[in-house]
PDB file of all heavy atoms in Angstrom:
ATOM      1  N   GLU A   1      76.601 138.776 204.654  1.00 96.00           N
ATOM      2  CA  GLU A   1      76.838 138.323 206.042  1.00 96.00           C
ATOM      3  C   GLU A   1      78.358 138.055 206.146  1.00 96.00           C
ATOM      4  O   GLU A   1      78.961 138.305 207.225  1.00 96.00           O
ATOM      5  CB  GLU A   1      76.058 137.047 206.342  1.00 96.00           C
ATOM      6  CG  GLU A   1      74.528 137.309 206.388  1.00 96.00           C
ATOM      7  CD  GLU A   1      73.716 136.051 206.620  1.00 96.00           C
ATOM      8  OE1 GLU A   1      74.418 134.812 206.488  1.00 96.00           O
ATOM      9  OE2 GLU A   1      72.552 136.057 206.963  1.00 96.00           O
ATOM     10  N   PHE A   2      78.934 137.496 205.174  1.00 95.00           N
ATOM     11  CA  PHE A   2      80.371 137.106 205.180  1.00 95.00           C
ATOM     12  C   PHE A   2      81.221 138.360 205.392  1.00 95.00           C
ATOM     13  O   PHE A   2      82.047 138.432 206.343  1.00 95.00           O
ATOM     14  CB  PHE A   2      80.797 136.364 203.906  1.00 95.00           C
ATOM     15  CG  PHE A   2      82.318 136.148 203.864  1.00 95.00           C
ATOM     16  CD1 PHE A   2      82.847 134.997 204.367  1.00 95.00           C
ATOM     17  CD2 PHE A   2      83.157 137.038 203.256  1.00 95.00           C
ATOM     18  CE1 PHE A   2      84.248 134.742 204.278  1.00 95.00           C
ATOM     19  CE2 PHE A   2      84.552 136.798 203.254  1.00 95.00           C
ATOM     20  CZ  PHE A   2      85.021 135.625 203.752  1.00 95.00           C
ATOM     21  N   TYR A   3      81.057 139.368 204.600  1.00 94.00           N
ATOM     22  CA  TYR A   3      81.921 140.652 204.736  1.00 94.00           C
ATOM     23  C   TYR A   3      81.525 141.389 205.984  1.00 94.00           C
ATOM     24  O   TYR A   3      82.323 142.123 206.484  1.00 94.00           O
ATOM     25  CB  TYR A   3      81.765 141.379 203.432  1.00 94.00           C
ATOM     26  CG  TYR A   3      82.603 140.708 202.354  1.00 94.00           C
ATOM     27  CD1 TYR A   3      81.982 140.049 201.304  1.00 94.00           C
ATOM     28  CD2 TYR A   3      83.992 140.904 202.368  1.00 94.00           C
ATOM     29  CE1 TYR A   3      82.852 139.442 200.337  1.00 94.00           C
ATOM     30  CE2 TYR A   3      84.773 140.297 201.384  1.00 94.00           C
ATOM     31  CZ  TYR A   3      84.184 139.593 200.413  1.00 94.00           C
ATOM     32  OH  TYR A   3      84.970 138.933 199.411  1.00 94.00           O
ATOM     33  N   ASN A   4      80.306 141.389 206.463  1.00 95.00           N
ATOM     34  CA  ASN A   4      79.939 141.980 207.695  1.00 95.00           C
ATOM     35  C   ASN A   4      80.699 141.397 208.834  1.00 95.00           C
ATOM     36  O   ASN A   4      81.125 142.004 209.803  1.00 95.00           O
ATOM     37  CB  ASN A   4      78.472 142.006 207.878  1.00 95.00           C
ATOM     38  CG  ASN A   4      77.717 142.998 206.960  1.00 95.00           C
ATOM     39  OD1 ASN A   4      78.256 143.917 206.438  1.00 95.00           O
ATOM     40  ND2 ASN A   4      76.424 142.751 206.805  1.00 95.00           N
ATOM     41  N   GLU A   5      80.717 140.018 208.817  1.00 94.00           N
ATOM     42  CA  GLU A   5      81.379 139.239 209.883  1.00 94.00           C
ATOM     43  C   GLU A   5      82.915 139.393 209.947  1.00 94.00           C
ATOM     44  O   GLU A   5      83.502 139.470 210.977  1.00 94.00           O
ATOM     45  CB  GLU A   5      80.910 137.857 209.852  1.00 94.00           C
ATOM     46  CG  GLU A   5      79.477 137.547 210.141  1.00 94.00           C
ATOM     47  CD  GLU A   5      79.049 136.180 209.854  1.00 94.00           C
ATOM     48  OE1 GLU A   5      79.929 135.299 209.691  1.00 94.00           O
ATOM     49  OE2 GLU A   5      77.824 135.819 209.929  1.00 94.00           O
ATOM     50  N   CYS A   6      83.487 139.328 208.808  1.00 92.00           N
ATOM     51  CA  CYS A   6      84.961 139.359 208.716  1.00 92.00           C
ATOM     52  C   CYS A   6      85.597 140.768 208.867  1.00 92.00           C
ATOM     53  O   CYS A   6      86.737 140.864 209.113  1.00 92.00           O
ATOM     54  CB  CYS A   6      85.503 138.623 207.481  1.00 92.00           C
ATOM     55  SG  CYS A   6      85.238 139.570 205.938  1.00 92.00           S
ATOM     56  N   GLY A   7      84.784 141.727 208.618  1.00 91.00           N
ATOM     57  CA  GLY A   7      85.199 143.100 208.767  1.00 91.00           C
ATOM     58  C   GLY A   7      86.114 143.664 207.667  1.00 91.00           C
ATOM     59  O   GLY A   7      86.697 144.650 207.813  1.00 91.00           O
ATOM     60  N   ILE A   8      86.090 142.917 206.569  1.00 91.00           N
ATOM     61  CA  ILE A   8      86.914 143.438 205.329  1.00 91.00           C
ATOM     62  C   ILE A   8      86.059 144.244 204.504  1.00 91.00           C
ATOM     63  O   ILE A   8      84.985 143.739 203.992  1.00 91.00           O
ATOM     64  CB  ILE A   8      87.469 142.286 204.581  1.00 91.00           C
ATOM     65  CG1 ILE A   8      88.454 141.368 205.409  1.00 91.00           C
ATOM     66  CG2 ILE A   8      88.189 142.754 203.224  1.00 91.00           C
ATOM     67  CD1 ILE A   8      88.948 140.161 204.726  1.00 91.00           C
ATOM     68  N   PRO A   9      86.324 145.495 204.273  1.00 91.00           N
ATOM     69  CA  PRO A   9      85.492 146.392 203.352  1.00 91.00           C
ATOM     70  C   PRO A   9      85.527 145.870 201.948  1.00 91.00           C
ATOM     71  O   PRO A   9      86.540 145.565 201.412  1.00 91.00           O
ATOM     72  CB  PRO A   9      86.220 147.785 203.473  1.00 91.00           C
ATOM     73  CG  PRO A   9      87.058 147.699 204.690  1.00 91.00           C
ATOM     74  CD  PRO A   9      87.476 146.322 204.821  1.00 91.00           C
ATOM     75  N   THR A  10      84.332 145.796 201.366  1.00 91.00           N
ATOM     76  CA  THR A  10      84.223 145.367 199.984  1.00 91.00           C
ATOM     77  C   THR A  10      84.978 146.261 199.044  1.00 91.00           C
ATOM     78  O   THR A  10      85.389 145.767 197.985  1.00 91.00           O
ATOM     79  CB  THR A  10      82.786 145.153 199.599  1.00 91.00           C
ATOM     80  OG1 THR A  10      82.136 146.441 199.694  1.00 91.00           O
ATOM     81  CG2 THR A  10      82.063 144.102 200.460  1.00 91.00           C
ATOM     82  N   SER A  11      85.167 147.514 199.347  1.00 89.00           N
ATOM     83  CA  SER A  11      85.850 148.488 198.527  1.00 89.00           C
ATOM     84  C   SER A  11      87.332 148.094 198.444  1.00 89.00           C
ATOM     85  O   SER A  11      88.031 148.589 197.513  1.00 89.00           O
ATOM     86  CB  SER A  11      85.702 149.842 199.005  1.00 89.00           C
ATOM     87  OG  SER A  11      86.219 149.968 200.369  1.00 89.00           O
ATOM     88  N   CYS A  12      87.792 147.280 199.297  1.00 89.00           N
ATOM     89  CA  CYS A  12      89.269 146.913 199.290  1.00 89.00           C
ATOM     90  C   CYS A  12      89.528 145.723 198.324  1.00 89.00           C
ATOM     91  O   CYS A  12      90.721 145.318 198.032  1.00 89.00           O
ATOM     92  CB  CYS A  12      89.680 146.538 200.667  1.00 89.00           C
ATOM     93  SG  CYS A  12      89.719 147.953 201.860  1.00 89.00           S
ATOM     94  N   LEU A  13      88.512 145.066 197.802  1.00 92.00           N
ATOM     95  CA  LEU A  13      88.644 143.874 197.005  1.00 92.00           C
ATOM     96  C   LEU A  13      89.132 144.295 195.621  1.00 92.00           C
ATOM     97  O   LEU A  13      88.687 145.286 195.019  1.00 92.00           O
ATOM     98  CB  LEU A  13      87.348 143.123 196.870  1.00 92.00           C
ATOM     99  CG  LEU A  13      86.683 142.700 198.170  1.00 92.00           C
ATOM    100  CD1 LEU A  13      85.331 142.037 197.907  1.00 92.00           C
ATOM    101  CD2 LEU A  13      87.602 141.613 198.846  1.00 92.00           C
ATOM    102  N   ASP A  14      90.084 143.572 195.198  1.00 91.00           N
ATOM    103  CA  ASP A  14      90.640 143.752 193.788  1.00 91.00           C
ATOM    104  C   ASP A  14      90.112 142.752 192.805  1.00 91.00           C
ATOM    105  O   ASP A  14      89.967 143.033 191.600  1.00 91.00           O
ATOM    106  CB  ASP A  14      92.166 143.769 193.784  1.00 91.00           C
ATOM    107  CG  ASP A  14      92.742 144.889 194.547  1.00 91.00           C
ATOM    108  OD1 ASP A  14      92.267 146.022 194.491  1.00 91.00           O
ATOM    109  OD2 ASP A  14      93.776 144.690 195.295  1.00 91.00           O
ATOM    110  N   TYR A  15      89.918 141.517 193.303  1.00 93.00           N
ATOM    111  CA  TYR A  15      89.594 140.391 192.389  1.00 93.00           C
ATOM    112  C   TYR A  15      88.735 139.396 193.116  1.00 93.00           C
ATOM    113  O   TYR A  15      88.872 139.204 194.335  1.00 93.00           O
ATOM    114  CB  TYR A  15      90.891 139.702 191.910  1.00 93.00           C
ATOM    115  CG  TYR A  15      90.658 138.461 191.138  1.00 93.00           C
ATOM    116  CD1 TYR A  15      90.306 138.569 189.785  1.00 93.00           C
ATOM    117  CD2 TYR A  15      90.736 137.228 191.736  1.00 93.00           C
ATOM    118  CE1 TYR A  15      90.057 137.389 189.019  1.00 93.00           C
ATOM    119  CE2 TYR A  15      90.484 136.019 190.940  1.00 93.00           C
ATOM    120  CZ  TYR A  15      90.147 136.184 189.622  1.00 93.00           C
ATOM    121  OH  TYR A  15      89.890 135.060 188.888  1.00 93.00           O
ATOM    122  N   ILE A  16      87.741 138.848 192.395  1.00 94.00           N
ATOM    123  CA  ILE A  16      86.868 137.811 192.951  1.00 94.00           C
ATOM    124  C   ILE A  16      87.032 136.549 192.000  1.00 94.00           C
ATOM    125  O   ILE A  16      86.851 136.641 190.840  1.00 94.00           O
ATOM    126  CB  ILE A  16      85.384 138.218 193.005  1.00 94.00           C
ATOM    127  CG1 ILE A  16      85.213 139.219 194.053  1.00 94.00           C
ATOM    128  CG2 ILE A  16      84.517 137.064 193.199  1.00 94.00           C
ATOM    129  CD1 ILE A  16      85.280 138.695 195.506  1.00 94.00           C
ATOM    130  N   GLU A  17      87.407 135.411 192.618  1.00 95.00           N
ATOM    131  CA  GLU A  17      87.365 134.165 191.873  1.00 95.00           C
ATOM    132  C   GLU A  17      85.946 133.586 192.029  1.00 95.00           C
ATOM    133  O   GLU A  17      85.670 133.060 193.117  1.00 95.00           O
ATOM    134  CB  GLU A  17      88.493 133.231 192.418  1.00 95.00           C
ATOM    135  CG  GLU A  17      88.452 131.832 191.782  1.00 95.00           C
ATOM    136  CD  GLU A  17      88.793 131.794 190.334  1.00 95.00           C
ATOM    137  OE1 GLU A  17      89.377 132.753 189.817  1.00 95.00           O
ATOM    138  OE2 GLU A  17      88.409 130.788 189.708  1.00 95.00           O
ATOM    139  N   ALA A  18      85.286 133.585 191.030  1.00 94.00           N
ATOM    140  CA  ALA A  18      83.839 133.127 191.034  1.00 94.00           C
ATOM    141  C   ALA A  18      83.715 131.663 190.672  1.00 94.00           C
ATOM    142  O   ALA A  18      84.570 131.069 190.131  1.00 94.00           O
ATOM    143  CB  ALA A  18      83.032 134.053 190.103  1.00 94.00           C
ATOM    144  N   HIS A  19      82.493 131.170 190.959  1.00 94.00           N
ATOM    145  CA  HIS A  19      82.154 129.731 190.625  1.00 94.00           C
ATOM    146  C   HIS A  19      82.185 129.702 189.112  1.00 94.00           C
ATOM    147  O   HIS A  19      82.787 128.826 188.520  1.00 94.00           O
ATOM    148  CB  HIS A  19      80.827 129.386 191.203  1.00 94.00           C
ATOM    149  CG  HIS A  19      80.458 127.978 191.038  1.00 94.00           C
ATOM    150  ND1 HIS A  19      81.384 126.904 191.376  1.00 94.00           N
ATOM    151  CD2 HIS A  19      79.335 127.376 190.629  1.00 94.00           C
ATOM    152  CE1 HIS A  19      80.781 125.777 191.143  1.00 94.00           C
ATOM    153  NE2 HIS A  19      79.620 125.960 190.619  1.00 94.00           N
ATOM    154  N   GLY A  20      81.450 130.573 188.420  1.00 92.00           N
ATOM    155  CA  GLY A  20      81.525 130.704 186.966  1.00 92.00           C
ATOM    156  C   GLY A  20      81.568 129.417 186.114  1.00 92.00           C
ATOM    157  O   GLY A  20      82.655 129.196 185.554  1.00 92.00           O
ATOM    158  N   THR A  21      80.510 128.730 186.005  1.00 91.00           N
ATOM    159  CA  THR A  21      80.558 127.401 185.324  1.00 91.00           C
ATOM    160  C   THR A  21      80.393 127.600 183.822  1.00 91.00           C
ATOM    161  O   THR A  21      80.501 126.518 183.113  1.00 91.00           O
ATOM    162  CB  THR A  21      79.510 126.495 185.868  1.00 91.00           C
ATOM    163  OG1 THR A  21      78.248 127.165 185.708  1.00 91.00           O
ATOM    164  CG2 THR A  21      79.735 126.135 187.273  1.00 91.00           C
ATOM    165  N   GLY A  22      79.952 128.722 183.337  1.00 90.00           N
ATOM    166  CA  GLY A  22      79.722 128.862 181.930  1.00 90.00           C
ATOM    167  C   GLY A  22      78.227 128.331 181.504  1.00 90.00           C
ATOM    168  O   GLY A  22      78.018 128.077 180.343  1.00 90.00           O
ATOM    169  N   THR A  23      77.369 128.248 182.449  1.00 90.00           N
ATOM    170  CA  THR A  23      76.031 127.882 182.205  1.00 90.00           C
ATOM    171  C   THR A  23      75.072 129.003 182.322  1.00 90.00           C
ATOM    172  O   THR A  23      75.269 129.965 183.222  1.00 90.00           O
ATOM    173  CB  THR A  23      75.496 126.732 183.182  1.00 90.00           C
ATOM    174  OG1 THR A  23      75.584 127.211 184.556  1.00 90.00           O
ATOM    175  CG2 THR A  23      76.396 125.498 183.060  1.00 90.00           C
ATOM    176  N   LYS A  24      73.984 129.060 181.604  1.00 88.00           N
ATOM    177  CA  LYS A  24      73.089 130.207 181.552  1.00 88.00           C
ATOM    178  C   LYS A  24      72.142 130.178 182.824  1.00 88.00           C
ATOM    179  O   LYS A  24      71.543 131.145 183.143  1.00 88.00           O
ATOM    180  CB  LYS A  24      72.213 130.212 180.283  1.00 88.00           C
ATOM    181  CG  LYS A  24      73.071 130.448 179.056  1.00 88.00           C
ATOM    182  CD  LYS A  24      72.268 130.473 177.776  1.00 88.00           C
ATOM    183  CE  LYS A  24      73.102 130.775 176.544  1.00 88.00           C
ATOM    184  NZ  LYS A  24      72.337 130.826 175.342  1.00 88.00           N
ATOM    185  N   ALA A  25      72.112 129.081 183.512  1.00 89.00           N
ATOM    186  CA  ALA A  25      71.384 128.938 184.780  1.00 89.00           C
ATOM    187  C   ALA A  25      72.122 129.476 185.834  1.00 89.00           C
ATOM    188  O   ALA A  25      71.585 130.000 186.870  1.00 89.00           O
ATOM    189  CB  ALA A  25      70.866 127.501 185.005  1.00 89.00           C
ATOM    190  N   GLY A  26      73.438 129.308 185.910  1.00 92.00           N
ATOM    191  CA  GLY A  26      74.317 129.631 187.018  1.00 92.00           C
ATOM    192  C   GLY A  26      75.009 130.922 186.955  1.00 92.00           C
ATOM    193  O   GLY A  26      75.057 131.616 188.005  1.00 92.00           O
ATOM    194  N   ASP A  27      75.444 131.278 185.834  1.00 93.00           N
ATOM    195  CA  ASP A  27      76.330 132.559 185.785  1.00 93.00           C
ATOM    196  C   ASP A  27      75.552 133.815 186.022  1.00 93.00           C
ATOM    197  O   ASP A  27      76.036 134.703 186.871  1.00 93.00           O
ATOM    198  CB  ASP A  27      76.998 132.633 184.445  1.00 93.00           C
ATOM    199  CG  ASP A  27      78.148 131.685 184.336  1.00 93.00           C
ATOM    200  OD1 ASP A  27      78.332 130.865 185.215  1.00 93.00           O
ATOM    201  OD2 ASP A  27      78.925 131.693 183.254  1.00 93.00           O
ATOM    202  N   PRO A  28      74.390 134.129 185.447  1.00 94.00           N
ATOM    203  CA  PRO A  28      73.673 135.327 185.687  1.00 94.00           C
ATOM    204  C   PRO A  28      73.313 135.514 187.159  1.00 94.00           C
ATOM    205  O   PRO A  28      73.523 136.654 187.707  1.00 94.00           O
ATOM    206  CB  PRO A  28      72.310 135.194 184.856  1.00 94.00           C
ATOM    207  CG  PRO A  28      72.771 134.272 183.701  1.00 94.00           C
ATOM    208  CD  PRO A  28      73.734 133.282 184.363  1.00 94.00           C
ATOM    209  N   PRO A  29      72.755 134.559 187.956  1.00 94.00           N
ATOM    210  CA  PRO A  29      72.543 134.835 189.329  1.00 94.00           C
ATOM    211  C   PRO A  29      73.738 135.174 190.106  1.00 94.00           C
ATOM    212  O   PRO A  29      73.692 135.928 191.052  1.00 94.00           O
ATOM    213  CB  PRO A  29      71.866 133.524 189.801  1.00 94.00           C
ATOM    214  CG  PRO A  29      71.342 132.890 188.631  1.00 94.00           C
ATOM    215  CD  PRO A  29      72.322 133.208 187.536  1.00 94.00           C
ATOM    216  N   GLU A  30      74.914 134.566 189.795  1.00 95.00           N
ATOM    217  CA  GLU A  30      76.120 134.767 190.489  1.00 95.00           C
ATOM    218  C   GLU A  30      76.648 136.199 190.221  1.00 95.00           C
ATOM    219  O   GLU A  30      77.022 136.905 191.214  1.00 95.00           O
ATOM    220  CB  GLU A  30      77.143 133.724 190.203  1.00 95.00           C
ATOM    221  CG  GLU A  30      78.443 133.905 190.932  1.00 95.00           C
ATOM    222  CD  GLU A  30      79.488 132.825 190.708  1.00 95.00           C
ATOM    223  OE1 GLU A  30      79.347 132.131 189.590  1.00 95.00           O
ATOM    224  OE2 GLU A  30      80.424 132.721 191.467  1.00 95.00           O
ATOM    225  N   ILE A  31      76.524 136.604 188.996  1.00 95.00           N
ATOM    226  CA  ILE A  31      76.991 137.876 188.582  1.00 95.00           C
ATOM    227  C   ILE A  31      76.210 138.953 189.320  1.00 95.00           C
ATOM    228  O   ILE A  31      76.576 140.034 189.802  1.00 95.00           O
ATOM    229  CB  ILE A  31      76.948 138.092 187.030  1.00 95.00           C
ATOM    230  CG1 ILE A  31      78.181 137.463 186.491  1.00 95.00           C
ATOM    231  CG2 ILE A  31      76.948 139.511 186.675  1.00 95.00           C
ATOM    232  CD1 ILE A  31      79.497 138.157 186.753  1.00 95.00           C
ATOM    233  N   SER A  32      74.880 138.668 189.271  1.00 95.00           N
ATOM    234  CA  SER A  32      73.928 139.614 189.930  1.00 95.00           C
ATOM    235  C   SER A  32      74.247 139.860 191.455  1.00 95.00           C
ATOM    236  O   SER A  32      74.258 140.936 192.007  1.00 95.00           O
ATOM    237  CB  SER A  32      72.495 139.091 189.769  1.00 95.00           C
ATOM    238  OG  SER A  32      71.528 139.960 190.398  1.00 95.00           O
ATOM    239  N   ALA A  33      74.532 138.673 192.051  1.00 96.00           N
ATOM    240  CA  ALA A  33      74.886 138.840 193.575  1.00 96.00           C
ATOM    241  C   ALA A  33      76.152 139.468 193.817  1.00 96.00           C
ATOM    242  O   ALA A  33      76.292 140.408 194.675  1.00 96.00           O
ATOM    243  CB  ALA A  33      74.954 137.415 194.054  1.00 96.00           C
TER     244      ALA A  33
END
């Protein structure tokens, strides 16, 4: 929804600063998304 609304093509992205807490409960779902 975010990228559809802001109109920025995801192919233009170079880097994503993720939440990335280092927990096995949190990191896999985030990486998957």
Side-chain angles (χ1 to χ4, degrees):
E1 293 178 349
F2 175 88
Y3 284 100
N4 285 341
E5 292 174 9
C6 70
I8 299 175
T10 57
S11 59
C12 294
L13 300 177
D14 295 320
Y15 174 79
I16 290 291
E17 174 65 18
H19 187 48
T21 57
T23 61
K24 294 182 178 179
D27 286 5
E30 185 176 16
I31 281 292
S32 177

